Amino acid sequence: MSDRLGGALARKPLHFIFVLDVSGSMLRGGRIQALNNAITEVLPQLRDEARANPHAELLIRVLAFANEPRWVIEQPTPVDRIEWERLEAVPRGFTELGSALVALTDALDTLDESASAFPPAIILVSDGRPTQSSGVTFAEGLQTLLSNRWGGTAVRLALGVGRDADMHSLRRFIGDEDIPLLRADNPEQLVEYIVWASKAASKVASRPVVGPAPGGVTAVPPSPIGDPVWSTVE
């Protein structure tokens, strides 16, 4: 219905959550700087996506994790109000992904229960193998997420950073063999892949209603660019 006939269409919330590894290994080779640059670059493109979609209100949250999860942006915030504050990696910090997924699930519990709501979009970025110093294993955290109504129906994408990224765990997080799993081997690739994943997740999540696992990420990932500096010993 047009504005003239009956006012603006109601926009349903589309929750978009970045889950970002800030463990000690992200200090190597400029990885944390590249991650910050990537998020800084993707936000204007997500703003454009939001303006072009009259049906969805794009709300951003950011969860960082190392020894423990920490909400960088805890409240769902409209993308046009986000001012990015650069992340710092935790020296000698572990990769407690299991605990991060439990914290993520707790946040998903607060979402609207409307059957017609958009599924959330979740993008996980990590450069290592999940550790277990908190008592929560990656498998336990993942099961907690997938058992949640929103976690199980979310559009889940993942991106590995460098040669030490545990691609098997990231594939389990995605849960769909047809969805591309990418690995960035230099800063330029990290930017390109996060931009691609964010735009793809936004488009897919804002189309279907909650139901079976959505899938449907059919956009072609960008071709690798630059030298694979993170695939060599740093």
Side-chain angles (χ1 to χ4, degrees):
M1 184 177 293
S2 69
D3 293 354
R4 185 173 301 173
L5 292 176
L9 290 171
R11 303 179 77 191
K12 294 185 294 186
L14 168 54
H15 294 271
F16 200 105
I17 305 172
F18 289 101
V19 181
L20 305 178
D21 185 348
V22 294
S23 60
S25 56
M26 289 292 289
L27 289 167
R28 300 204 309 261
R31 295 178 183 186
I32 193 66
Q33 292 91 337
L35 177 59
N36 280 303
N37 293 341
I39 299 298
T40 300
E41 184 160 329
V42 80
L43 286 173
Q45 303 199 40
L46 286 176
R47 293 186 189 108
D48 291 340
E49 292 283 330
R51 293 188 192 104
N53 190 335
H55 305 292
E57 180 185 16
L58 187 58
L59 302 173
I60 303 293
R61 276 189 277 189
V62 179
L63 178 66
F65 67 96
N67 295 333
E68 59 186 12
R70 176 178 66 88
W71 284 103
V72 178
I73 301 176
E74 184 171 7
Q75 297 302 317
T77 304
V79 64
D80 58 0
R81 297 183 188 174
I82 298 292
E83 295 184 6
W84 185 246
E85 297 185 6
R86 298 180 73 84
L87 297 172
E88 299 290 339
V90 177
R92 297 183 295 278
F94 295 120
T95 309
E96 293 293 292
L97 180 53
S99 295
L101 295 182
V102 171
L104 173 61
T105 305
D106 290 342
L108 294 176
D109 280 336
T110 67
L111 299 189
D112 183 4
E113 287 296 323
S114 171
S116 63
F118 293 125
I122 305 169
I123 294 182
L124 169 62
V125 181
S126 179
D127 76 333
R129 183 178 300 277
T131 55
Q132 185 192 346
S133 66
S134 67
V136 179
T137 67
F138 165 69
E140 290 167 340
L142 181 61
Q143 183 58 47
T144 298
L145 177 68
L146 298 181
S147 297
N148 177 272
R149 175 173 180 256
W150 290 113
T153 58
V155 177
R156 299 185 304 275
L157 298 181
L159 171 61
V161 181
R163 68 186 182 95
D164 294 327
D166 185 350
M167 303 302 281
H168 175 68
S169 293
L170 296 181
R171 169 56 67 193
R172 289 175 62 191
F173 171 81
I174 293 174
D176 186 338
E177 292 292 335
D178 294 328
I179 293 179
L181 170 59
L182 305 178
R183 191 184 81 181
D185 287 324
N186 61 47
E188 295 80 12
Q189 287 178 19
L190 183 58
V191 172
E192 289 293 315
Y193 289 167
I194 286 184
V195 169
W196 172 83
S198 299
K199 294 174 71 172
S202 175
K203 288 180 183 297
V204 172
S206 62
R207 284 203 306 264
V209 296
V210 170
V217 179
T218 57
V220 178
S223 299
I225 57 175
D227 296 327
V229 295
W230 293 335
S231 288
T232 58
V233 176
E234 298 169 17

